[in-house]
Amino acid sequence: MQLTLPPLSLYIHIPWCVQKCPYCDFNSHAQKGAIPEAEYIDHLLADLSQDLTAYQTAIQGRKIHSIFIGGGTPSLFSAEGIERLLREIQQRIDFEPNLEITLEANPGTAEAERFIGYAQAGVNRISMGIQSFEPEKLLQLGRIHNSQEAIQAVGFAKNSADFGLRSFNLDLMHGLPNQSVEQALNDLRQAIALAPPHLSWYQLTIEPNTMFYYRQPTLPDDDELWAIFDQGHQLLTAAGYQQYETSAYAKAGYQCQHNLNYWRFGDYLAIGCGAHGKISYPTGEIYRFSKTKHPKGYLRGEYRYQQDPIELADRPFEFFMNRFRLLEPTPKAEFEAYTGLDRKVVEPIIEQALAKNYLKQTACDWQITRHGKLFLNELLEMFLE
């Protein structure tokens, strides 16, 4: 079996943050004392070198399509550290021309003042975790910035455009504890007024092993959540934002290229504590892998935690679980190219999904319908069967 290899991205995880937010289930660790920045960067580079050797036959000749530095709070690292990291990565593997390099940042003033430095280091997209502009909600969410700092951070991002920053994203949550429809929409109006090229607007969900899981807050009911989404979607559309993914809206030409590669079943190397990656071989094998979660183990040089093959039987679900998050059509040819399977394998399930109005199709592609978006879990479960 031969696979057509998809684009290859790189995810870099920096695990430290000032304090752990009560809703957060990401692999993040509250900062205690000085962060070992230089030492951690040494290990990130060693981790990458190890992967480039281990996956040599899968990577040979491929270039990095996009880079995403996530966390934790990567903006706790200095611009000089980020510059060194990116420079030494490029010494190990080539970059595609004009690749997107995103760095997640806290909108607190100290980090935001570094935006020009990050842009000069090679970062061309900043993603800021605003979450809300309401002081009470920020407190409930454990955020350490205030709304004025968030507004100032957007100003820093805009001022960094002259130094190479091409885009910025605001993360905003809705469905917060005791949040009214009007409060949620007011948050959204304030975000839109700041004119970010990209907005990630997602509903708060209670995840296991978070503080909110053990002390569950009162969240809006289903009718309120639907009103928030429906009216919010109209606000965003009227403001010139296009929804291209379940929780992502962008002005024309500003979709997040790194996330698009995830959802299009692309490949991505992953370095850093708890980072998850996916790699395809031209000979047909596809693997998912993850790295050691805790900084102590990682800083001892224990990088690889787990690696599992994506078996042929699981590939339809894996492919569509990603692809159907996007509103764009799914090329049938890409299903065959990236999974190594004939499209006939999924035709019986596709026929059922068409009958339920979950999907529509042309000769060349499948596309999820608005109705299908409402029943996304049911649609995906069909591919598990």
Side-chain angles (χ1 to χ4, degrees), residues 47-69:
D47 185 3
L48 177 63
S49 295
Q50 196 174 93
D51 277 358
L52 293 176
T53 300
Y55 300 122
Q56 185 177 6
T57 56
I59 293 169
Q60 206 162 20
R62 299 166 81 179
K63 297 181 179 182
I64 295 297
H65 170 75
S66 64
I67 296 175
F68 196 102
I69 307 172

Side-chain angles (χ1 to χ4, degrees), residues 29-228:
H29 301 265
Q31 178 184 353
K32 294 175 182 174
I35 293 172
E37 179 180 309
E39 183 187 0
Y40 190 72
I41 290 171
D42 289 342
H43 282 282
L44 287 172
L45 295 166
D47 185 3
L48 177 63
S49 295
Q50 196 174 93
D51 277 358
L52 293 176
T53 300
Y55 300 122
Q56 185 177 6
T57 56
I59 293 169
Q60 206 162 20
R62 299 166 81 179
K63 297 181 179 182
I64 295 297
H65 170 75
S66 64
I67 296 175
F68 196 102
I69 307 172
T73 307
S75 55
L76 293 174
F77 273 34
S78 68
E80 293 76 16
I82 297 298
E83 189 277 332
R84 178 199 158 204
L85 176 63
L86 293 174
R87 172 170 37 86
E88 295 204 28
I89 288 170
Q90 195 168 14
Q91 290 170 3
R92 289 162 171 77
I93 184 167
D94 290 337
F95 290 178
E96 287 184 6
N98 301 313
L99 83 165
E100 174 192 272
I101 302 178
T102 301
L103 180 133
E104 284 187 336
N106 182 47
T109 306
E111 289 95 330
E113 286 175 347
R114 296 177 175 172
F115 285 3
I116 288 174
Y118 294 136
Q120 291 173 324
V123 172
N124 51 37
R125 185 175 180 274
I126 293 278
S127 181
M128 288 177 268
I130 304 291
Q131 313 312 1
S132 176
F133 292 94
E134 284 264 341
E136 178 199 359
K137 300 304 178 204
L138 288 170
L139 196 63
Q140 287 175 321
L141 294 172
R143 305 301 290 167
I144 59 169
H145 67 272
N146 58 42
S147 58
Q148 193 54 43
E149 286 177 319
I151 293 165
Q152 287 175 337
V154 170
F156 283 122
K158 290 179 177 178
N159 292 339
S160 302
D162 293 339
F163 298 89
L165 199 72
R166 301 198 297 245
S167 181
F168 65 93
N169 167 64
L170 302 185
D171 270 356
L172 198 68
M173 296 173 105
H174 62 273
L176 303 180
N178 300 305
Q179 186 179 48
S180 68
V181 174
E182 190 51 37
Q183 283 177 322
L185 296 178
N186 192 46
D187 264 349
L188 191 54
R189 289 186 193 101
Q190 290 185 71
I192 289 170
L194 295 171
H198 190 285
L199 252 168
S200 296
W201 187 54
Y202 53 97
Q203 181 186 324
L204 170 66
T205 54
I206 306 299
E207 303 292 347
N209 301 317
T210 63
M211 283 174 61
F212 275 174
Y213 183 77
Y214 297 110
R215 293 184 181 178
Q216 297 219 359
T218 303
L219 302 181
D221 63 30
D222 287 346
D223 288 342
E224 290 171 311
L225 289 171
W226 174 250
I228 290 169

Side-chain angles (χ1 to χ4, degrees), residues 193-345:
L194 295 171
H198 190 285
L199 252 168
S200 296
W201 187 54
Y202 53 97
Q203 181 186 324
L204 170 66
T205 54
I206 306 299
E207 303 292 347
N209 301 317
T210 63
M211 283 174 61
F212 275 174
Y213 183 77
Y214 297 110
R215 293 184 181 178
Q216 297 219 359
T218 303
L219 302 181
D221 63 30
D222 287 346
D223 288 342
E224 290 171 311
L225 289 171
W226 174 250
I228 290 169
F229 171 75
D230 189 47
Q231 294 175 48
H233 180 77
Q234 292 176 45
L235 282 174
L236 286 159
T237 304
Y241 291 90
Q242 181 181 11
Q243 185 186 23
Y244 70 96
E245 186 261 330
T246 301
S247 305
Y249 292 77
K251 296 283 181 77
Y254 286 99
Q255 293 100 328
C256 177
Q257 296 304 305
H258 188 86
N259 285 347
L260 278 175
N261 194 38
Y262 283 160
W263 307 134
R264 289 171 177 162
F265 206 55
D267 281 354
Y268 43 101
L269 294 170
I271 57 175
C273 294
H276 288 253
K278 169 184 170 281
I279 196 78
S280 304
Y281 285 79
T283 47
E285 302 90 351
I286 306 175
Y287 293 94
R288 290 200 184 276
F289 61 91
S290 63
K291 299 299 172 67
T292 300
K293 279 190 172 184
H294 203 280
K296 282 185 179 177
Y298 190 83
L299 290 168
R300 287 197 298 265
E302 300 162 7
Y303 307 137
R304 177 69 54 77
Y305 175 69
Q306 194 168 349
Q307 175 175 289
D308 298 299
I310 303 180
E311 304 291 358
L312 288 174
D314 297 326
R315 291 184 191 181
F317 173 76
E318 289 266 352
F319 180 85
F320 290 117
M321 176 181 66
N322 289 278
R323 260 298 186 168
F324 287 156
R325 283 188 65 106
L326 295 172
L327 276 67
E328 68 181 20
T330 300
K332 295 176 181 178
E334 279 191 14
F335 172 77
E336 295 184 327
Y338 294 167
T339 66
L341 299 169
D342 192 296
R343 70 187 74 173
K344 290 177 182 175
V345 170

Side-chain angles (χ1 to χ4, degrees), residues 313-314 316-318 349 377-385:
D314 297 326
F317 173 76
E318 289 266 352
I349 303 167
N377 288 340
E378 288 86 341
L379 170 60
L380 294 175
E381 282 169 7
M382 293 165 68
F383 292 96
L384 279 176
E385 295 163 10

Side-chain angles (χ1 to χ4, degrees), residues 1 28 38 125 233 366:
M1 180 204 308
S28 59
R125 185 175 180 274
H233 180 77
W366 302 296

